[in-house]
Amino acid sequence: MPLLKVDSLTKRFGGLTAVNDLSFAIEPGQIFALIGPNGAGKTTVFNMLTGLTPFTSGTARFDGQELGRLPSFRIAELGIGRTFQNIRLFGRMSVLDNVMVGFHCRTGTGMWGALLRPPGARREYRRTEEQAMELLKLFHLDGIRDELSCNLSYGQQRGLEIARALATQPRLLLLDEPAAGLNITETETLMGQIARLRSGMGKTILLIEHDMKLVMGISDRVMVLDYGVKIAEGEPGAIKADTKVIEAYLGTGFRGAHAGS
């Protein structure tokens, strides 16, 4: 049974159809990449799946639960976490506190518990802090736990945003262009980190990305959108050779550069 099953998903903004009759399924443990030119509708898909943008029509089921009318916080509670194309950290909060915020939907301490700190709340805080530090270690940020997030390098901020998304304890993690703005070395590090999220933590990942080396290097399956319409879906090798994809997005130079790979 797919973890996420999308059927005929459509989104219209007035007379503009941003996503048109889109269907796909993601199996547990997959790294599934969504690629396409700018304006193809990729982030709109993410926004619909996470409750930020209502569907015009169609369905999306996560572990059998229909997502269409659920608010964002409820979708997070079900087990879908995400990052954003434009980094959205709390700049005047510490690295640790940014991740601690992510655990909010999994903790039982309410406002008064957080303020008064009874023994149960203190124990929960310590457990949450330990879990947050484990996530920071994954991205080599544990040594700067008290630094303000606004003082981090761009690559560190990207890692922190993923760590915060993981704090919601998602079963499905949506990464919106995680390699944007990273240099070659940082991108290679990110590839390894994403692979470990699947192999070490059992995460299923839906990925939007323009870096084709990253996409083709770690994805199990790739789907291509063009003007909101799916034009191809398959394993990375098949996508690299697909004529429609090359014409719409990859370009003839990509085929030549990857011939025989």
Side-chain angles (χ1 to χ4, degrees), residues 211-230:
D211 188 309
M212 287 301 100
K213 182 178 179 181
L214 187 152
V215 168
M216 300 301 174
I218 65 171
S219 302
D220 301 302
R221 199 161 184 83
V222 180
M223 181 171 67
V224 188
L225 287 186
D226 191 29
Y227 294 105
V229 176
K230 180 170 70 172

Side-chain angles (χ1 to χ4, degrees), residues 29-201:
Q30 271 190 332
I31 297 179
F32 191 105
L34 177 56
I35 68 172
N38 288 330
K42 304 182 297 297
T43 296
T44 300
V45 173
F46 269 31
N47 289 343
M48 285 192 284
L49 294 178
T50 53
L52 297 180
T53 299
F55 305 175
T56 299
S57 61
T59 62
R61 294 185 178 275
F62 177 71
D63 199 19
Q65 173 71 56
E66 172 59 41
L67 302 178
R69 296 186 180 276
L70 296 180
S72 294
F73 76 88
R74 177 61 180 141
I75 291 173
E77 290 174 349
L78 286 176
I80 298 179
R82 72 168 293 179
T83 65
F84 291 85
Q85 183 177 348
N86 299 315
I87 296 173
R88 299 188 182 184
L89 297 173
F90 299 105
R92 305 307 299 178
M93 290 174 60
S94 72
V95 167
L96 177 62
D97 285 343
N98 264 275
V99 178
M100 295 280 284
V101 166
F103 281 101
H104 175 71
C105 71
R106 302 298 178 194
T107 58
T109 301
M111 180 183 69
W112 291 111
L115 291 173
L116 300 176
R117 294 284 184 89
R122 290 197 294 270
R123 287 193 297 270
E124 184 176 62
Y125 181 88
R126 287 194 295 270
R127 287 195 303 269
T128 302
E129 185 178 38
E130 290 171 0
Q131 293 173 322
M133 287 300 296
E134 290 301 312
L135 292 178
L136 290 177
K137 287 178 184 178
L138 290 175
F139 298 93
H140 309 294
L141 298 171
D142 51 306
I144 54 172
R145 54 173 281 172
D146 297 319
E147 184 66 65
L148 295 180
S149 67
C150 62
N151 294 332
L152 270 57
S153 70
Y154 193 80
Q156 289 173 323
Q157 289 184 8
R158 282 286 180 193
L160 179 56
E161 189 177 40
I162 297 174
R164 187 179 62 184
L166 289 169
T168 66
Q169 301 177 358
R171 287 182 290 160
L172 174 63
L173 179 61
L174 279 56
L175 301 177
D176 195 347
E177 297 194 30
L182 303 186
N183 61 37
I184 294 175
T185 301
E186 290 171 332
T187 299
E188 289 176 350
T189 299
L190 177 66
M191 286 178 65
Q193 291 166 336
I194 293 174
R196 284 193 294 275
L197 295 181
R198 190 254 299 273
S199 63
M201 299 179 70

